[in-house]
Amino acid sequence: MRASILLSTLAMALVAQATSLTGLRTLVLLDTLDDVLIYTELWSDLEGRHFNLTLNDVSTPVSLTKYDRRLYDHLIFLAPNMKEYPKGMNAKEVIGFMAEGGNVILAGSSELANPLRELSREFDVEFDNRYTSVLDHFNYDKELGQAKHDTIVVDPSSHMSKIDAIVPQDKLPGPILFRGIGHSVNPKNSLLTPILWAPQEAYSWESVNLDESADQDPLIAGKDISLVSVMQARNNARIAFLGSTDMLSDAFFSASPKKQGDKETVSGNRKFIEELTKWTFQEKSALDVVAVQHHKVGEEEAPAHYRIKDNMTYTISLAEYHEGEWHPFSADDVQLELIMLDPYVRKTLEQLELNDQSTVGTFTTTLQLPDQYGVFKFMVNYKRPGLTYIESVTTVGIHPFRHDQYPRFISQAKPYYTSAASMGVGLLVFSFVYLWGGLDSTVKTTKKA
Amino acid sequence: MAKFKSLLLVTLLASLSTAIAESWKVQDINLIIAAPGGNKKAEHKLEYPNAVQDLTADSTDVFKFSFKIDNKEKPHQAMVVFQSQDEFQDEIMVAASVKSSGKGRFDLNFNKADAKFKYGTRKYAMTFLVGGPKIEEPYKYTLGNIEVKGPSNPTTRPARLHYQAQPEIHHQFRPDQKLINTAISGLFTFLVLTPFAVLFFFWSKLDIKFEPFQAITSKPFDLINAIVFFGSIAGIEFVFYSYWTHVTLFPVLQALGGLSVVAFISGRYVLSAVQTRRLQRTAGSAKKEL
């Protein structure tokens, strides 16, 4: 067991060279190559994190895979106007790219064209109609959104998800600026998590002509408008949906958001995008199972099988990847399930205290196995938004009692024991009397006579 | 002169700032709740910032809202937000159409409105929002609360599914088998032993003598046979006892095999000794009869 821990730590150390667990080859699709200059800060941020960027415009043919192997590890769509995919690429290719483990960032704008709209629909994300924008006359930015009130200032403390694994709130220096299109997410899709949503007063409406009043109920309004959402697929590939390409631009990175009647603040966009790309590109919040151990209480090795009602100890070690290294993972909600078709036992594991030498987070529990025999799965099914899904399955057999494993001496069975013993004693007494005892021969003869 | 100039400047600036910081002027805000037939259930003339409390409406009622905007510009947004006052805080935005005269209105039929009104009887906070790109400062008026009755067959709210810790499951072990009272089993243990008492009682009546036993002590061959035979039978019983308590089948069979051979051979001698004794006895008694 120790050897296997060592090996996996070694394997981790090898991977730890790169900042992203998936890899560094990144393809960026832009409407035109002139747009490169809009996002210079983003490029320098990504290159600072060792990513190899390939900047393409949509007219350049490109292929994502060759001989069934990915040619890129990450894909960034900064081409909202893309009317059709570059030659050699289509929606199926992109989904196949994700199925192979590639990560995607998809940024839209109010001009978002059909290909990306349809791609998003595959992930239960529905962008509002073309040429609509998220408008807010109450939370617009005085400088960037003066004309149309379409650049909105979003307060992360109230309108951002509280999941620190994706974007931790305390790392943002200020509010987030957004200008673009809103989308709605299917609430029944548990793989999807909205990260940023619109203020209560916001609504999504055509932003071409604002002279006429919006005289019909908006399709989506308020917090139903998702501005940024993320999805982690079942194979742990990650995708982020942003309604705004401007969010990633130099102008928004360096802006000083100022709401009507408020003080000027610092834009949190740069940090927000940094954390979001770190999450999407698997630079953080990635988990791995390092070791699983189980044994009977008082023993060390895993037995070939257990017996019903055995007391046993289960231990799982988890590591979390961030800043290019594996660290011990900490949580208080890791659960173990004993499953045979249905879960028979579900128990929250306790984490052992970490010390300076800890390389993994160790979660353990001791429990009594159910009085049902069969083939059980010890399963840690740890799925939390923002974290790599963990499904660790150990199959074990649980046997019933053998004939000689039942309680041997029951006080209620004493009559049976006694009768058996009395027969044994009786046999000895009888044979003794028969063999060496005898009636007095004189008495017998006198009686006969 | 300088004073006058600065005064002029101040008034000029003031007028300029009012021109920029123009705000929405909303008047004649009327709120009517009407039954399906058209009967007014409630009518409120609202004036900023007074709020109405404890309004109620049935699921079939119509919520009529009208106002007038006294600005040259038309607002882009003239909407009322209903926010449910429960854990979900669902938001429903209802838009009013504003005519060029500045008059705006909407009729909200709860029966035909947004599905969020049909999740059951809920209380909503109403906020009137007026805004547009032409005027910097928007207008926000908290109108108050309204309770909207849910329809007789409310729809279920699509719950947001997300991964989270599941409730723990504790296995219910089958209860132990019920056992009878130990006093009863004790009584039966005693009953099982009673035949011995009866046996010894009758044997004592028979007046058994252990003459042959005393006799064999003088014959070493018979004595050894007797000890070996009796010992082997006792040994077999001990093996049975061990089988019951701890020994498994195969060692038991081995031991039994050995012991039974010993018992068989020594038994033959012991039994033939018994037979000889009997023959002697019958011969003796025959002699006596003669």
PDB file of all heavy atoms in Angstrom, chain B residues 52-71:
ATOM      1  N   VAL B  52     -48.333  50.356   0.015  1.00  0.00           N
ATOM      2  CA  VAL B  52     -49.561  49.684   0.460  1.00  0.00           C
ATOM      3  C   VAL B  52     -49.158  48.374   1.130  1.00  0.00           C
ATOM      4  O   VAL B  52     -48.192  47.731   0.734  1.00  0.00           O
ATOM      5  CB  VAL B  52     -50.541  49.388  -0.700  1.00  0.00           C
ATOM      6  CG1 VAL B  52     -51.275  50.624  -1.107  1.00  0.00           C
ATOM      7  CG2 VAL B  52     -49.831  48.738  -1.857  1.00  0.00           C
ATOM      8  N   GLN B  53     -49.924  48.007   2.128  1.00  0.00           N
ATOM      9  CA  GLN B  53     -49.637  46.750   2.828  1.00  0.00           C
ATOM     10  C   GLN B  53     -50.871  45.848   2.738  1.00  0.00           C
ATOM     11  O   GLN B  53     -51.982  46.320   2.540  1.00  0.00           O
ATOM     12  CB  GLN B  53     -49.316  47.004   4.308  1.00  0.00           C
ATOM     13  CG  GLN B  53     -48.063  47.832   4.539  1.00  0.00           C
ATOM     14  CD  GLN B  53     -46.785  47.200   3.991  1.00  0.00           C
ATOM     15  OE1 GLN B  53     -46.670  45.995   3.913  1.00  0.00           O
ATOM     16  NE2 GLN B  53     -45.846  48.036   3.570  1.00  0.00           N
ATOM     17  N   ASP B  54     -50.626  44.582   2.899  1.00  0.00           N
ATOM     18  CA  ASP B  54     -51.686  43.585   3.046  1.00  0.00           C
ATOM     19  C   ASP B  54     -52.679  43.568   1.891  1.00  0.00           C
ATOM     20  O   ASP B  54     -53.881  43.429   2.090  1.00  0.00           O
ATOM     21  CB  ASP B  54     -52.443  43.801   4.377  1.00  0.00           C
ATOM     22  CG  ASP B  54     -51.490  43.797   5.542  1.00  0.00           C
ATOM     23  OD1 ASP B  54     -50.531  43.004   5.492  1.00  0.00           O
ATOM     24  OD2 ASP B  54     -51.688  44.600   6.472  1.00  0.00           O
ATOM     25  N   LEU B  55     -52.204  43.738   0.697  1.00  0.00           N
ATOM     26  CA  LEU B  55     -53.075  43.550  -0.466  1.00  0.00           C
ATOM     27  C   LEU B  55     -53.230  42.048  -0.687  1.00  0.00           C
ATOM     28  O   LEU B  55     -52.288  41.286  -0.489  1.00  0.00           O
ATOM     29  CB  LEU B  55     -52.425  44.157  -1.706  1.00  0.00           C
ATOM     30  CG  LEU B  55     -52.666  45.631  -1.979  1.00  0.00           C
ATOM     31  CD1 LEU B  55     -51.898  46.020  -3.232  1.00  0.00           C
ATOM     32  CD2 LEU B  55     -54.136  45.923  -2.152  1.00  0.00           C
ATOM     33  N   THR B  56     -54.411  41.630  -1.088  1.00  0.00           N
ATOM     34  CA  THR B  56     -54.581  40.220  -1.439  1.00  0.00           C
ATOM     35  C   THR B  56     -55.281  40.124  -2.784  1.00  0.00           C
ATOM     36  O   THR B  56     -56.068  40.997  -3.157  1.00  0.00           O
ATOM     37  CB  THR B  56     -55.417  39.453  -0.398  1.00  0.00           C
ATOM     38  OG1 THR B  56     -56.629  40.168  -0.203  1.00  0.00           O
ATOM     39  CG2 THR B  56     -54.678  39.259   0.894  1.00  0.00           C
ATOM     40  N   ALA B  57     -54.973  39.066  -3.491  1.00  0.00           N
ATOM     41  CA  ALA B  57     -55.605  38.857  -4.789  1.00  0.00           C
ATOM     42  C   ALA B  57     -55.808  37.366  -4.985  1.00  0.00           C
ATOM     43  O   ALA B  57     -54.988  36.559  -4.538  1.00  0.00           O
ATOM     44  CB  ALA B  57     -54.731  39.421  -5.908  1.00  0.00           C
ATOM     45  N   ASP B  58     -56.908  37.029  -5.648  1.00  0.00           N
ATOM     46  CA  ASP B  58     -57.152  35.624  -5.989  1.00  0.00           C
ATOM     47  C   ASP B  58     -56.401  35.270  -7.247  1.00  0.00           C
ATOM     48  O   ASP B  58     -55.936  36.147  -7.982  1.00  0.00           O
ATOM     49  CB  ASP B  58     -58.655  35.389  -6.206  1.00  0.00           C
ATOM     50  CG  ASP B  58     -59.357  35.158  -4.885  1.00  0.00           C
ATOM     51  OD1 ASP B  58     -58.679  34.684  -3.958  1.00  0.00           O
ATOM     52  OD2 ASP B  58     -60.560  35.475  -4.785  1.00  0.00           O
ATOM     53  N   SER B  59     -56.308  33.968  -7.480  1.00  0.00           N
ATOM     54  CA  SER B  59     -55.536  33.528  -8.649  1.00  0.00           C
ATOM     55  C   SER B  59     -56.195  33.932  -9.959  1.00  0.00           C
ATOM     56  O   SER B  59     -55.560  33.929 -11.004  1.00  0.00           O
ATOM     57  CB  SER B  59     -55.366  32.015  -8.595  1.00  0.00           C
ATOM     58  OG  SER B  59     -56.628  31.400  -8.578  1.00  0.00           O
ATOM     59  N   THR B  60     -57.491  34.296  -9.906  1.00  0.00           N
ATOM     60  CA  THR B  60     -58.164  34.681 -11.158  1.00  0.00           C
ATOM     61  C   THR B  60     -58.303  36.189 -11.290  1.00  0.00           C
ATOM     62  O   THR B  60     -58.810  36.689 -12.296  1.00  0.00           O
ATOM     63  CB  THR B  60     -59.571  34.049 -11.201  1.00  0.00           C
ATOM     64  OG1 THR B  60     -60.221  34.330  -9.963  1.00  0.00           O
ATOM     65  CG2 THR B  60     -59.495  32.551 -11.412  1.00  0.00           C
ATOM     66  N   ASP B  61     -57.853  36.938 -10.292  1.00  0.00           N
ATOM     67  CA  ASP B  61     -58.021  38.398 -10.321  1.00  0.00           C
ATOM     68  C   ASP B  61     -57.093  39.054 -11.340  1.00  0.00           C
ATOM     69  O   ASP B  61     -56.130  38.459 -11.802  1.00  0.00           O
ATOM     70  CB  ASP B  61     -57.723  38.982  -8.937  1.00  0.00           C
ATOM     71  CG  ASP B  61     -58.848  38.702  -7.962  1.00  0.00           C
ATOM     72  OD1 ASP B  61     -59.903  38.226  -8.435  1.00  0.00           O
ATOM     73  OD2 ASP B  61     -58.667  38.934  -6.756  1.00  0.00           O
ATOM     74  N   VAL B  62     -57.463  40.308 -11.640  1.00  0.00           N
ATOM     75  CA  VAL B  62     -56.638  41.093 -12.564  1.00  0.00           C
ATOM     76  C   VAL B  62     -56.049  42.260 -11.790  1.00  0.00           C
ATOM     77  O   VAL B  62     -56.739  42.944 -11.055  1.00  0.00           O
ATOM     78  CB  VAL B  62     -57.473  41.594 -13.760  1.00  0.00           C
ATOM     79  CG1 VAL B  62     -56.601  42.383 -14.720  1.00  0.00           C
ATOM     80  CG2 VAL B  62     -58.113  40.413 -14.472  1.00  0.00           C
ATOM     81  N   PHE B  63     -54.742  42.408 -11.967  1.00  0.00           N
ATOM     82  CA  PHE B  63     -54.009  43.476 -11.295  1.00  0.00           C
ATOM     83  C   PHE B  63     -53.831  44.590 -12.321  1.00  0.00           C
ATOM     84  O   PHE B  63     -53.189  44.407 -13.345  1.00  0.00           O
ATOM     85  CB  PHE B  63     -52.672  42.886 -10.848  1.00  0.00           C
ATOM     86  CG  PHE B  63     -51.757  43.820 -10.118  1.00  0.00           C
ATOM     87  CD1 PHE B  63     -51.699  43.796  -8.737  1.00  0.00           C
ATOM     88  CD2 PHE B  63     -50.921  44.688 -10.805  1.00  0.00           C
ATOM     89  CE1 PHE B  63     -50.831  44.630  -8.049  1.00  0.00           C
ATOM     90  CE2 PHE B  63     -50.059  45.531 -10.123  1.00  0.00           C
ATOM     91  CZ  PHE B  63     -50.015  45.499  -8.741  1.00  0.00           C
ATOM     92  N   LYS B  64     -54.483  45.736 -12.044  1.00  0.00           N
ATOM     93  CA  LYS B  64     -54.419  46.829 -13.040  1.00  0.00           C
ATOM     94  C   LYS B  64     -53.546  47.938 -12.476  1.00  0.00           C
ATOM     95  O   LYS B  64     -53.762  48.393 -11.351  1.00  0.00           O
ATOM     96  CB  LYS B  64     -55.821  47.367 -13.328  1.00  0.00           C
ATOM     97  CG  LYS B  64     -56.674  46.347 -14.037  1.00  0.00           C
ATOM     98  CD  LYS B  64     -58.018  46.925 -14.364  1.00  0.00           C
ATOM     99  CE  LYS B  64     -58.792  45.922 -15.206  1.00  0.00           C
ATOM    100  NZ  LYS B  64     -60.114  46.412 -15.568  1.00  0.00           N
ATOM    101  N   PHE B  65     -52.598  48.353 -13.280  1.00  0.00           N
ATOM    102  CA  PHE B  65     -51.624  49.328 -12.803  1.00  0.00           C
ATOM    103  C   PHE B  65     -51.510  50.424 -13.847  1.00  0.00           C
ATOM    104  O   PHE B  65     -51.358  50.140 -15.043  1.00  0.00           O
ATOM    105  CB  PHE B  65     -50.273  48.618 -12.603  1.00  0.00           C
ATOM    106  CG  PHE B  65     -49.241  49.455 -11.921  1.00  0.00           C
ATOM    107  CD1 PHE B  65     -49.279  49.649 -10.551  1.00  0.00           C
ATOM    108  CD2 PHE B  65     -48.209  50.030 -12.650  1.00  0.00           C
ATOM    109  CE1 PHE B  65     -48.313  50.406  -9.914  1.00  0.00           C
ATOM    110  CE2 PHE B  65     -47.243  50.810 -12.016  1.00  0.00           C
ATOM    111  CZ  PHE B  65     -47.294  50.987 -10.648  1.00  0.00           C
ATOM    112  N   SER B  66     -51.661  51.666 -13.417  1.00  0.00           N
ATOM    113  CA  SER B  66     -51.500  52.757 -14.384  1.00  0.00           C
ATOM    114  C   SER B  66     -50.736  53.904 -13.736  1.00  0.00           C
ATOM    115  O   SER B  66     -50.717  54.038 -12.513  1.00  0.00           O
ATOM    116  CB  SER B  66     -52.864  53.230 -14.869  1.00  0.00           C
ATOM    117  OG  SER B  66     -53.610  53.672 -13.768  1.00  0.00           O
ATOM    118  N   PHE B  67     -50.116  54.697 -14.597  1.00  0.00           N
ATOM    119  CA  PHE B  67     -49.309  55.821 -14.103  1.00  0.00           C
ATOM    120  C   PHE B  67     -49.141  56.821 -15.242  1.00  0.00           C
ATOM    121  O   PHE B  67     -49.556  56.569 -16.369  1.00  0.00           O
ATOM    122  CB  PHE B  67     -47.936  55.317 -13.625  1.00  0.00           C
ATOM    123  CG  PHE B  67     -47.204  54.521 -14.669  1.00  0.00           C
ATOM    124  CD1 PHE B  67     -46.362  55.147 -15.577  1.00  0.00           C
ATOM    125  CD2 PHE B  67     -47.386  53.130 -14.763  1.00  0.00           C
ATOM    126  CE1 PHE B  67     -45.703  54.410 -16.546  1.00  0.00           C
ATOM    127  CE2 PHE B  67     -46.726  52.414 -15.740  1.00  0.00           C
ATOM    128  CZ  PHE B  67     -45.884  53.047 -16.634  1.00  0.00           C
ATOM    129  N   LYS B  68     -48.549  57.941 -14.916  1.00  0.00           N
ATOM    130  CA  LYS B  68     -48.275  58.935 -15.962  1.00  0.00           C
ATOM    131  C   LYS B  68     -46.863  59.454 -15.758  1.00  0.00           C
ATOM    132  O   LYS B  68     -46.462  59.735 -14.626  1.00  0.00           O
ATOM    133  CB  LYS B  68     -49.277  60.086 -15.850  1.00  0.00           C
ATOM    134  CG  LYS B  68     -49.206  61.056 -17.015  1.00  0.00           C
ATOM    135  CD  LYS B  68     -50.343  62.023 -16.981  1.00  0.00           C
ATOM    136  CE  LYS B  68     -50.387  62.908 -18.222  1.00  0.00           C
ATOM    137  NZ  LYS B  68     -49.153  63.653 -18.458  1.00  0.00           N
ATOM    138  N   ILE B  69     -46.154  59.552 -16.872  1.00  0.00           N
ATOM    139  CA  ILE B  69     -44.787  60.046 -16.784  1.00  0.00           C
ATOM    140  C   ILE B  69     -44.729  61.439 -17.391  1.00  0.00           C
ATOM    141  O   ILE B  69     -45.144  61.653 -18.529  1.00  0.00           O
ATOM    142  CB  ILE B  69     -43.818  59.074 -17.474  1.00  0.00           C
ATOM    143  CG1 ILE B  69     -43.704  57.815 -16.605  1.00  0.00           C
ATOM    144  CG2 ILE B  69     -42.460  59.704 -17.682  1.00  0.00           C
ATOM    145  CD1 ILE B  69     -42.961  56.700 -17.228  1.00  0.00           C
ATOM    146  N   ASP B  70     -44.235  62.368 -16.596  1.00  0.00           N
ATOM    147  CA  ASP B  70     -44.211  63.778 -16.979  1.00  0.00           C
ATOM    148  C   ASP B  70     -42.870  64.194 -17.535  1.00  0.00           C
ATOM    149  O   ASP B  70     -42.376  65.253 -17.209  1.00  0.00           O
ATOM    150  CB  ASP B  70     -44.554  64.641 -15.748  1.00  0.00           C
ATOM    151  CG  ASP B  70     -46.023  64.982 -15.754  1.00  0.00           C
ATOM    152  OD1 ASP B  70     -46.692  64.655 -16.755  1.00  0.00           O
ATOM    153  OD2 ASP B  70     -46.505  65.562 -14.766  1.00  0.00           O
ATOM    154  N   ASN B  71     -42.257  63.364 -18.334  1.00  0.00           N
ATOM    155  CA  ASN B  71     -40.987  63.755 -18.935  1.00  0.00           C
ATOM    156  C   ASN B  71     -41.165  63.800 -20.451  1.00  0.00           C
ATOM    157  O   ASN B  71     -42.068  63.180 -20.993  1.00  0.00           O
ATOM    158  CB  ASN B  71     -39.899  62.734 -18.599  1.00  0.00           C
ATOM    159  CG  ASN B  71     -39.540  62.729 -17.136  1.00  0.00           C
ATOM    160  OD1 ASN B  71     -40.320  62.224 -16.322  1.00  0.00           O
ATOM    161  ND2 ASN B  71     -38.408  63.287 -16.808  1.00  0.00           N
TER     162      ASN B  71
END
